[in-house]
Amino acid sequence: MDQQVAAYRLLDGKRCSDSLKERIAIEAAEVKLMRGRAPHLAAVLVGDDGASRTYVEAKVKACESVGFRSTLVRLPATTSEDALLARIDELNRDPELDGFIVQLPLPKHIDADKVMLFIDPRKDVDGFHPVNVGNMVLGQPGFLPATPAGIVELLRHYGVATSGKHCVVVGRSNIVGTPVSILMSRNAEPGNCTVTLAHSRTRDLASITRQADILIIAAGKPEMITGDMVKEGVVVVDVGIHRIEDATRKSGFRLLGDARFSEVAAKASWITPVPGGVGPMTIVSLLQNTLKAARQ
Ligand code: GUN
């Protein structure tokens, strides 16, 4: 009888980010020598959303691990839009600060587009300002958004061939789906894919995901991609991360991605774990952008 062996390999974002962080730490020390201070990132957190707090704390901790300075700006959920813009104005002008991010989502009474537009593009290390989005689309220098850039870095690190492949992206958010579809179609390596961008209005999603050589899932729905929706040998990048209550776990919850891991991994050649896939890569891209800002 044939023995079943796991054929898939892990796109291990934790390992990849650890090795990239070693390089960043060396370069941060160089910047400190040249400029007399370490690269400095600030994160603005408005309100008390638990997931946002976890992400922001992880970003601040990552700064410490590579010798960056970091500042966490915590503002109450009741902060007015004007008060937030005034705080951003201070950060824009602060000569001791290289870059900053405003963690999303913002409370409903604040217009996030207006806030993004107010950030100085030279300090916009999230790459969300229209100037940086435009530069990305045109292939000009600028800050790339952290999660899409991290996905590309992960594919590069593991030598996954992308040129001429069919990349299907599920989800069209401004933060992940739309920009990653642009990066994967660029005339660059990794890149040069034929890209299909699927979303909530896509008809017969499974018939499209089954055509994917590379499947990037950023739809925000736990386990929406099942084994029957992918072909043998697919490369899967799962951006989703969902806390699901689970009384059998000591923590009281488990983390699920947008793909049903066991089924999809059984057919995949490469797949990201959740957690430990895309998440650590997002953080390392933010550090890379901050380093770049500090050098400018
Ligand atoms: N919310 C979810 N992802 C992100 C991100 O990459 N940056 C910011 N600022 N907010 C987010």
Short mmCIF file of all heavy atoms in Angstrom, two decimals, residues 59 101-104 126 128 147 175 282, ligand 1:
data_model
loop_
_atom_site.label_atom_id
_atom_site.label_comp_id
_atom_site.label_asym_id
_atom_site.label_seq_id
_atom_site.Cartn_x
_atom_site.Cartn_y
_atom_site.Cartn_z
N LYS A 59 3.91 45.33 16.70
CA LYS A 59 4.75 46.22 15.88
C LYS A 59 5.78 46.94 16.76
O LYS A 59 6.95 47.04 16.40
CB LYS A 59 3.87 47.24 15.13
CG LYS A 59 3.04 46.59 14.01
CD LYS A 59 1.98 47.51 13.42
CE LYS A 59 1.13 46.76 12.40
NZ LYS A 59 0.03 47.57 11.83
N ILE A 101 2.38 55.07 11.67
CA ILE A 101 1.18 54.45 11.12
C ILE A 101 -0.01 54.81 12.00
O ILE A 101 0.15 55.07 13.20
CB ILE A 101 1.30 52.91 11.06
CG1 ILE A 101 1.38 52.31 12.47
CG2 ILE A 101 2.53 52.48 10.25
CD1 ILE A 101 1.01 50.86 12.53
N VAL A 102 -1.17 54.87 11.40
CA VAL A 102 -2.42 55.02 12.15
C VAL A 102 -3.15 53.69 11.98
O VAL A 102 -3.53 53.32 10.85
CB VAL A 102 -3.26 56.19 11.60
CG1 VAL A 102 -4.59 56.29 12.35
CG2 VAL A 102 -2.48 57.50 11.69
N GLN A 103 -3.28 52.94 13.05
CA GLN A 103 -3.87 51.61 12.95
C GLN A 103 -5.34 51.69 12.53
O GLN A 103 -6.11 52.49 13.06
CB GLN A 103 -3.72 50.87 14.29
CG GLN A 103 -4.13 49.40 14.26
CD GLN A 103 -3.23 48.52 13.40
OE1 GLN A 103 -2.08 48.85 13.14
NE2 GLN A 103 -3.76 47.40 12.94
N LEU A 104 -5.71 50.86 11.57
CA LEU A 104 -7.08 50.77 11.09
C LEU A 104 -7.73 49.50 11.65
O LEU A 104 -7.01 48.54 11.91
CB LEU A 104 -7.10 50.74 9.56
CG LEU A 104 -6.45 51.94 8.85
CD1 LEU A 104 -6.45 51.74 7.35
CD2 LEU A 104 -7.17 53.23 9.23
N ASP A 126 3.17 52.86 6.11
CA ASP A 126 2.14 51.87 5.77
C ASP A 126 1.87 51.87 4.26
O ASP A 126 1.21 50.96 3.74
CB ASP A 126 0.82 52.22 6.47
CG ASP A 126 0.48 51.25 7.58
OD1 ASP A 126 0.95 50.09 7.53
OD2 ASP A 126 -0.28 51.64 8.49
N PHE A 128 -0.15 53.86 2.62
CA PHE A 128 -1.59 54.03 2.38
C PHE A 128 -1.94 55.38 1.75
O PHE A 128 -3.06 55.57 1.27
CB PHE A 128 -2.39 53.89 3.68
CG PHE A 128 -2.41 52.50 4.26
CD1 PHE A 128 -2.91 52.27 5.55
CD2 PHE A 128 -1.96 51.40 3.52
CE1 PHE A 128 -2.94 50.98 6.08
CE2 PHE A 128 -1.99 50.11 4.06
CZ PHE A 128 -2.48 49.91 5.34
N THR A 147 1.57 44.47 4.12
CA THR A 147 1.17 43.06 3.92
C THR A 147 1.47 42.59 2.49
O THR A 147 2.11 41.54 2.33
CB THR A 147 -0.31 42.85 4.30
OG1 THR A 147 -0.47 43.25 5.67
CG2 THR A 147 -0.73 41.41 4.15
N ILE A 175 -6.07 47.53 1.61
CA ILE A 175 -4.88 47.19 2.39
C ILE A 175 -4.15 45.98 1.82
O ILE A 175 -2.93 45.90 1.85
CB ILE A 175 -5.26 46.94 3.87
CG1 ILE A 175 -5.78 48.22 4.52
CG2 ILE A 175 -4.10 46.40 4.66
CD1 ILE A 175 -6.15 48.07 5.99
N THR A 282 4.23 40.98 7.52
CA THR A 282 3.68 42.35 7.52
C THR A 282 4.53 43.23 8.41
O THR A 282 4.90 44.36 8.05
CB THR A 282 2.23 42.33 8.04
OG1 THR A 282 1.43 41.58 7.13
CG2 THR A 282 1.66 43.73 8.17
N1 GUN B 1 -5.24 47.20 9.99
C1 GUN B 1 -5.08 45.98 9.43
N2 GUN B 1 -3.90 45.90 8.79
C2 GUN B 1 -3.31 47.09 8.92
C3 GUN B 1 -2.06 47.62 8.47
O1 GUN B 1 -1.26 46.97 7.79
N3 GUN B 1 -1.80 48.91 8.84
C4 GUN B 1 -2.67 49.65 9.59
N4 GUN B 1 -2.33 50.90 9.88
N5 GUN B 1 -3.83 49.19 10.01
C5 GUN B 1 -4.14 47.92 9.68
#
